[in-house]
């Protein structure tokens, strides 16, 4: 159905294009209850419902980066990255969740990490929220409670003030879809509220307003002094029609992409602002049919439409894979009510080579289509790829990961040179194997292998680390035979 990866001949990245790697606090830090850090929703979920984690692991220790961050910085230097994307643990900085008490050890830890990065001339790209909400705030309803707008702005104010002299690139939220749909609209992520079709939309209302308030805070109070940038990282499983000639599938793919990516991108990156109209219409129709007195998702009022528009200096895109639309209908796994039922489309993941993650197949051309769609849908925004990568079960000879990077990076080059998409940088997920949420350590995305059965948690560079080191050094896609799987007949590389 999908065209094969085009046999593009682009290998060189444009002047100024930057490369990084990413991690997240709960997935690597450990020290879950050390030196004043309080409990967050992932501590609570993994401790009370260990059955929800595939291999029964948790983030109590993870990669112990709280103690081993200097090793991490050495690895970053070896990889030759321009920047390191990591996230701040809200519960380590503000143990009550509010600014009534600053934990000095939390401030110290991140300043130590920032100084170690500065010494290696590695730029920090820092995510304020990567899913690890203080439990005390979840006990008040978390992102379903509009009070979170103020709590998040207060937390960001502390971070801008304490770290803003060293951090010039901020990301407010990592993957708002995963937060609102998976964590509030389902039970796939902590706090597993599972308020399908209702809580997910309460979450997006609060989250988008909180994001906007933090952007305006930076703009009004810090930008003139600190000269930094603020963005948001939106994730896309990209949807395409299984049959590009099937008009119904083409239409439903656009609906699905508006529900998935447009849900959070449309309010921020379009002239019109607000939630995509197809979302508002579908949810209103479904809500009425389900006997609700008002739509489960209501358009923002004029004040908030204007307040949220334009609140990001770049479009951050996290992308891994593509799913296909097979027709209209209600997915048999869809709960009622739910985001999935509101879309009214049937999908399949049956496309492309498998990875260790059930949801993740290798479909490079989908990435190019997503990037072209973002260029045309959001008025040609400057774009950073803030996550991209693939999982395996753990091997040092990770040829499949190298092939994935080659093919997905090739699609970035294609859209840069052929479509003029303004992609400015790329971030590989992830520096080292870490706690992959409900998959625990059973699905590994790292450039470095971490042996979690060894208390020293040794990090070992995989072959993909050598590949990435050469890429950052030459700014060109490596073509060396040493990166080609000897067991495979070499297809176009
Ligand atoms: O239905 S289940 O719960 O049984 C499996 C769904 C798992 N989700 C799928 C979507 N993915 C989005 C990308 O998630 C991103 O990519 C990385 C790899 O996943 C994560 O480690 C990063 O933290 C995250 O930013 C997050 C994991």
């Amino acid at each position: 159905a999908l065209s094969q990866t085009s046999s593009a001949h682009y290998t060189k990245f444009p002047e100024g294009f930057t490369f990084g790697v990413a991690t997240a606090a709960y997935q690597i830090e450990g020290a879950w209850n050390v030196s004043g850090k309080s409990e967050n929703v992932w501590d609570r979920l993994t401790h009370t419902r260990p059955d929800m984690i595939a291999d029964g692991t948790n983030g109590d220790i993870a990669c112990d980066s709280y103690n081993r961050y200097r090793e991490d910085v050495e690895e970053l230097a070896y990889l030759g990255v321009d920047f390191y994307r990591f996230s701040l643990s809200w519960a380590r900085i503000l143990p009550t969740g509010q600014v009534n008490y600053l934990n000095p050890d939390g401030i110290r830890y991140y300043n130590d990490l920032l100084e170690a990065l500065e010494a290696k001339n590695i730029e920090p790209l820092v995510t304020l929220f990567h899913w690890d909400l203080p439990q005390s705030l979840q006990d008040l309803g978390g992102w379903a409670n509009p009070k979170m707008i103020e709590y998040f702005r207060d937390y960001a104010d502390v971070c801008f003030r304490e770290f803003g002299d060293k951090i010039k690139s901020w990301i407010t939220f990592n993957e708002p879809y995963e937060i609102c749909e998976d964590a509030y609209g389902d039970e796939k992520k902590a706090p597993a509220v599972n308020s399908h079709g209702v809580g997910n939309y309460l979450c997006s209302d609060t989250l988008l307003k909180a994001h906007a308030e933090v952007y305006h805070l930076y703009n009004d109070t810090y930008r003139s002094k600190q000269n930094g940038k603020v963005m948001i990282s939106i994730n896309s499983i990209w949807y395409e029609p299984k049959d590009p000639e099937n008009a119904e599938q083409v239409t439903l793919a656009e609906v699905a992409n508006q529900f998935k990516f447009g849900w959070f991108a449309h309010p921020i990156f379009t002239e019109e602002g607000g939630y995509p109209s197809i979302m508002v219409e579908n949810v209103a129709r479904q809500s009425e049919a389900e006997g609700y007195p008002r739509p489960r998702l209501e358009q923002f009022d004029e004040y908030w439409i204007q307040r949220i528009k334009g609140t990001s200096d770049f479009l951050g895109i996290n992308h891994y894979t593509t799913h296909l639309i097979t027709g209209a209908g209600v997915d048999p796994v869809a709960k009622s009510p739910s985001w999935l039922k509101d879309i009214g489309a049937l999908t399949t993941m049956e496309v492309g080579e498998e990875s260790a993650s059930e949801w993740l197949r290798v479909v490079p051309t989908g990435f190019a289509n997503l990037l072209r769609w973002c260029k045309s849908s959001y008025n040609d925004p400057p774009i950073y790829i803030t996550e991209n990568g693939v999982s395996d079960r753990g091997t040092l000879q990770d040829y499949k990961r190298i092939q994935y990077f080659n093919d997905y990076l090739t699609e970035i080059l294609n859209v840069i040179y052929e479509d003029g998409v303004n992609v400015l940088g790329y971030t590989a997920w992830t520096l080292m194997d870490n706690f992959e949420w409900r998959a625990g350590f059973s699905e590994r995305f790292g450039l470095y292998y971490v042996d979690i059965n060894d208390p020293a948690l040794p990090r070992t560079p995989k072959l993909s680390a050598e590949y990435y080191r050469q890429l950052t050094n030459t700014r060109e896609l490596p073509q060396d035979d040493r990166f080609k799987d000897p067991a495979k007949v070499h297809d176009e590389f």
Side-chain angles (χ1 to χ4, degrees):
L2 293 171
S3 63
Q4 290 310 309
T5 304
S6 63
S7 59
H9 302 293
Y10 305 110
T11 58
K12 283 187 175 45
F13 283 85
E15 189 57 39
F17 190 95
T18 53
F19 292 97
V21 293
T23 62
Y26 185 78
Q27 295 181 268
I28 67 166
E29 284 183 2
W32 78 280
N33 62 347
V34 164
S35 304
K37 174 183 168 294
S38 69
E39 184 187 25
N40 64 41
V41 296
W42 277 93
D43 297 317
R44 174 65 62 87
L45 181 82
T46 57
H47 295 159
T48 57
R49 299 177 65 178
D51 56 295
M52 291 212 22
I53 310 303
D55 60 0
T57 58
N58 59 39
D60 287 4
I61 297 173
C63 305
D64 193 29
S65 286
Y66 174 82
N67 294 304
R68 299 170 186 278
Y69 67 91
R70 292 191 186 285
E71 289 175 50
D72 298 347
V73 173
E74 287 302 323
E75 289 145 27
L76 292 164
Y78 181 78
L79 292 171
V81 296
D82 302 300
F83 64 87
Y84 173 44
R85 179 180 174 228
F86 62 96
S87 78
L88 302 176
S89 169
W90 190 335
R92 195 178 295 287
I93 295 170
L94 298 176
T96 70
Q98 301 202 52
V99 298
N100 63 304
Y101 173 66
L102 237 61
N103 176 24
D105 181 72
I107 303 296
R108 175 209 53 81
Y109 168 66
Y110 291 111
N111 275 323
D112 286 353
L113 171 56
L114 288 165
E115 277 156 29
L117 289 169
E118 198 171 23
K120 299 282 187 183
N121 198 23
I122 297 169
E123 275 298 306
L125 167 58
V126 176
T127 310
L128 285 167
F129 188 80
H130 198 126
W131 307 358
D132 48 354
L133 187 71
Q135 185 61 44
S136 58
L137 298 183
Q138 181 53 38
D139 293 342
L140 303 174
W143 294 109
N145 180 346
K147 200 67 185 168
M148 281 297 296
I149 298 167
E150 293 164 83
Y151 297 154
F152 185 65
R153 192 193 52 218
D154 294 347
Y155 160 61
D157 196 7
V158 165
C159 296
F160 292 154
R161 190 185 66 229
E162 293 295 328
F163 307 118
D165 56 333
K166 290 191 177 64
I167 299 173
K168 304 301 177 191
S169 304
W170 297 92
I171 296 169
T172 55
F173 288 98
N174 179 71
E175 303 196 347
Y177 172 89
E178 302 299 311
I179 301 165
C180 292
E181 179 53 28
D182 273 17
Y184 286 81
D186 207 318
E187 50 185 357
K188 293 180 175 177
K189 303 266 183 326
V193 176
N194 200 19
S195 171
H196 41 88
V198 176
N200 57 329
Y201 296 131
L202 295 181
C203 170
S204 61
D205 275 357
T206 304
L207 186 147
L208 280 160
K209 291 172 180 175
H211 160 81
E213 288 311 312
V214 165
Y215 184 86
H216 289 297
L217 168 69
Y218 193 82
N219 236 12
D220 302 344
T221 310
Y222 291 96
R223 195 188 292 273
S224 57
K225 282 177 296 192
Q226 299 180 358
N227 296 308
K229 302 285 186 186
V230 178
M231 63 193 278
I232 186 169
S233 284
I234 300 174
N235 64 300
S236 154
I237 286 185
W238 174 247
Y239 293 99
E240 297 201 344
K242 184 175 170 67
D243 172 5
E245 306 305 314
N246 179 314
E248 180 182 63
Q249 289 178 12
V250 169
T251 302
L252 287 167
E254 177 62 22
V255 172
N257 287 319
Q258 289 297 342
F259 264 81
K260 179 79 175 186
F261 198 88
W263 185 7
F264 297 96
H266 194 273
I268 297 171
F269 293 97
T270 62
E271 268 310 298
E272 182 189 13
Y275 291 119
S277 50
I278 186 65
M279 261 192 106
V280 175
E281 287 157 17
N282 275 25
V283 178
R285 191 172 57 251
Q286 291 288 359
S287 302
E288 186 174 5
E290 292 150 354
Y292 286 90
R294 70 191 69 78
R296 288 175 281 104
L297 174 73
E298 293 180 289
Q299 188 56 276
F300 291 109
D301 64 23
E302 198 47 36
Y303 171 81
W304 280 111
I305 285 180
Q306 296 310 323
R307 186 76 174 160
I308 297 169
K309 261 170 55 176
T311 54
S312 191
D313 296 328
F314 304 106
L315 170 57
I317 299 175
N318 289 6
H319 178 70
Y320 291 85
T321 190
T322 293
H323 292 174
L324 302 182
I325 298 292
T326 56
V330 180
D331 194 307
V333 303
K335 298 172 183 170
S336 182
S338 68
W339 175 87
L340 186 55
K341 183 183 170 198
D342 290 333
I343 296 179
L346 301 170
T347 65
T348 175
M349 298 187 262
E350 303 291 311
V351 56
E353 200 176 323
E354 293 183 349
S355 71
S357 307
E358 196 231 351
W359 57 276
L360 202 174
R361 298 289 188 92
V362 183
V363 191
T365 49
F367 194 15
N369 293 332
L370 164 65
L371 290 170
R372 282 190 283 263
W373 182 81
C374 285
K375 175 181 166 77
S376 65
S377 304
Y378 304 121
N379 189 25
D380 192 14
I383 292 169
Y384 277 93
I385 308 305
T386 44
E387 279 180 35
N388 176 248
V390 71
S391 58
D392 60 30
R393 292 278 176 217
T395 172
L396 294 181
Q397 303 306 317
D398 55 342
Y399 292 106
K400 286 177 74 170
R401 176 166 294 107
I402 291 169
Q403 184 73 51
Y404 180 96
F405 283 139
N406 176 77
D407 294 351
Y408 274 72
L409 287 164
T410 293
E411 295 304 330
I412 293 177
L413 290 171
N414 287 342
V415 299
I416 289 175
Y417 292 125
E418 293 175 5
D419 306 280
V421 181
N422 190 7
V423 185
L424 298 170
Y426 176 86
T427 319
W429 182 268
T430 177
L431 169 62
M432 62 188 145
D433 298 335
N434 56 48
F435 182 74
E436 176 52 28
W437 310 113
R438 288 191 55 197
F441 280 84
S442 68
E443 297 172 20
R444 293 166 172 262
F445 283 81
L447 293 171
Y448 278 76
Y449 182 82
V450 177
D451 179 357
I452 59 169
N453 298 315
D454 178 338
L457 293 166
R459 285 89 151 125
T460 309
K462 303 176 186 175
L463 188 58
S464 58
E466 304 305 331
Y467 175 89
Y468 210 70
R469 174 181 165 86
Q470 183 167 319
L471 171 65
T472 60
N473 186 34
T474 64
R475 312 271 136 178
E476 252 185 85
L477 288 182
Q479 308 293 309
D480 312 28
D481 284 347
R482 66 180 173 134
F483 297 128
K484 297 176 183 176
D485 188 349
K488 263 176 67 180
V489 176
H490 296 314
D491 49 6
E492 182 61 29
F493 187 84

